[in-house]
Amino acid sequence: QVQLVESGGGLVQAGGSLRLSCAGSGRSFSTYAMGWFRQAPGKEREFVAAITWGGGGTSYADSVKGRFTISRDNAKSTLYLQMSSLKPEDTAVYYCAGDEQYNRLVRGAGDYWGQGTQVTVSS
C-alpha cells in the first residue's frame, strides 16, 4: 500500500506559477504509475496528467498541455506538478493518485489517493 500526501497549493494570480508535490510512503513508490487529478466546486473530478513508473512516459489533459509538467523523483518518493500560466479555470482541489497500471490512471482511476491540496487562481 502507498500513502500519498500533497502539498504546495495556495492562492496565485492568473498568469502565475505553482509547483505541487506529492510525497509517497509505504510500499515502493517507484513501482507505481502516478497521476494528478483535480476537482472544481460543483464539477466532477478530472484527469490532469500521468507519468509512468520510470518517468519515461507522460500524458496530459488537453486543457493543461503546454502549461503543466508532471515529473517524479523516485529516489525521494515524490511526484511533482509544475503549473505555469495559470488561469482562473485551473482553480480546484488537486489530488495525486497511484496505480500499478498507467492506462488506468489516464482513464481516471487509481488505487491510491492523497487528501488533496487547494489551488486558487485569482483573475
Side-chain angles (χ1 to χ4, degrees):
Q1 193 168 354
V2 176
Q3 290 79 43
L4 302 171
V5 179
E6 302 94 336
S7 62
L11 174 64
V12 63
Q13 288 187 332
S17 300
L18 276 177
R19 188 176 80 158
L20 305 183
S21 299
C22 172
S25 62
R27 192 175 169 182
S28 182
F29 177 87
S30 63
T31 65
Y32 285 84
M34 298 295 298
W36 288 98
F37 296 79
R38 66 187 182 185
Q39 187 167 20
K43 295 186 177 181
E44 293 187 353
R45 185 180 66 201
E46 65 174 353
F47 168 79
V48 174
I51 189 167
T52 56
W53 66 270
T58 56
S59 295
Y60 295 91
D62 288 343
S63 59
V64 306
K65 277 182 183 177
R67 301 188 299 121
F68 291 11
T69 302
I70 188 171
S71 63
R72 65 190 298 163
D73 185 338
N74 286 338
K76 296 181 178 180
S77 297
T78 303
L79 174 74
Y80 302 100
L81 184 68
Q82 179 66 49
M83 305 185 294
S84 302
S85 301
L86 283 161
K87 305 175 182 180
E89 51 263 44
D90 294 318
T91 295
V93 177
Y94 283 71
Y95 300 89
C96 66
D99 199 281
E100 291 184 350
Q101 299 182 36
Y102 176 76
N103 288 337
R104 288 192 71 225
L105 283 171
V106 175
R107 291 196 299 267
D111 281 340
Y112 304 106
W113 293 83
Q115 83 291 345
T117 186
Q118 176 71 47
V119 172
T120 303
V121 184
S122 63
S123 57

